[in-house]
């Protein structure tokens, strides 16, 4: 048993310095020594980390919420939520057509054109129906 431990110890004594030298060499080779940020391996991640995320527009947040609701419930519920959101926040009215069309497109993907059309309501001047027709 003592002989096995000694062999393992000798092996580690030979291998460990090689591993340390190689890992140090790799670490040094990835440092940008030129001073030019374009040459840096870490440029992309370090620049992305320092830039704060842009706040998402209300209509983009609403679009994701409505598409999720369409998947979890049905297009009729999503259209009702769209109408309520536009009623609560009139500034969303200018995005209503594109939101309803996106719902129409998603409904066709999920339910097929015929079934998706059955959910159509007069929200945003029948944009849902035109989205179904366009993508159906």
């Amino acid at each position: 048993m003592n002989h096995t431990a000694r062999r393992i110890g000798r092996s580690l004594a030979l291998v460990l310095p090689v591993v340390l030298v190689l890992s140090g060499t790799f670490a040094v080779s990835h440092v940008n020594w030129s001073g030019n940020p374009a040459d840096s391996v870490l440029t992309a991640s370090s620049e992305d980390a320092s830039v704060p995320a842009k706040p998402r527009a209300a209509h983009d947040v609403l679009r994701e919420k409505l598409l999720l609701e369409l998947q979890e419930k049905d297009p009729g519920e999503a259209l009702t939520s769209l109408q309520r959101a536009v009623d609560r926040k009139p500034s969303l009215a200018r995005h209503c057509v594109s939101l309803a069309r996106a719902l129409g497109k998603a409904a066709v993907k999920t339910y097929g054109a015929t079934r998706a059309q059955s959910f159509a309501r007069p929200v945003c001047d029948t944009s849902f129906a035109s989205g179904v027709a366009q993508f159906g």
Side-chain angles (χ1 to χ4, degrees):
M1 178 91 173
N2 195 8
H3 180 62
T4 304
R6 192 172 294 166
R7 275 191 14 215
I8 292 172
R10 284 184 189 157
S11 296
L12 283 176
L14 291 173
V15 172
L16 191 59
V18 172
V19 170
L20 290 174
V21 168
L22 287 175
S23 64
T25 302
F26 290 135
V28 169
S29 69
H30 284 290
V31 172
N32 179 12
W33 297 103
S34 71
N36 183 0
D39 296 336
S40 177
V41 173
L42 301 175
T43 299
S45 63
S46 65
E47 285 179 5
D48 291 344
S50 65
V51 176
K54 291 182 181 179
R56 294 179 38 211
H59 67 276
D60 289 333
V61 173
L62 179 59
R63 180 185 322 266
E64 286 183 19
K65 178 184 169 246
L66 293 171
L67 291 172
L68 183 63
E69 186 173 3
L70 182 139
Q71 295 295 321
E72 292 177 349
K73 296 179 183 175
D74 66 54
E77 295 284 332
L79 285 169
T80 300
S81 294
L82 173 58
Q83 186 63 57
R84 287 184 185 142
V86 171
D87 290 344
R88 276 192 311 264
K89 192 171 182 182
S91 63
L92 291 170
R94 65 182 170 171
H95 302 286
C96 191
V97 170
S98 67
L99 292 169
R101 280 196 183 134
L103 289 174
K105 179 181 178 181
V108 168
K109 287 182 180 179
T110 304
Y111 296 95
T114 304
R115 179 123 191 267
Q117 189 63 43
S118 70
F119 292 101
R121 295 197 185 146
V123 177
C124 307
D125 297 325
T126 67
S127 297
F128 176 83
S130 72
V132 169
Q134 184 179 1
F135 298 105

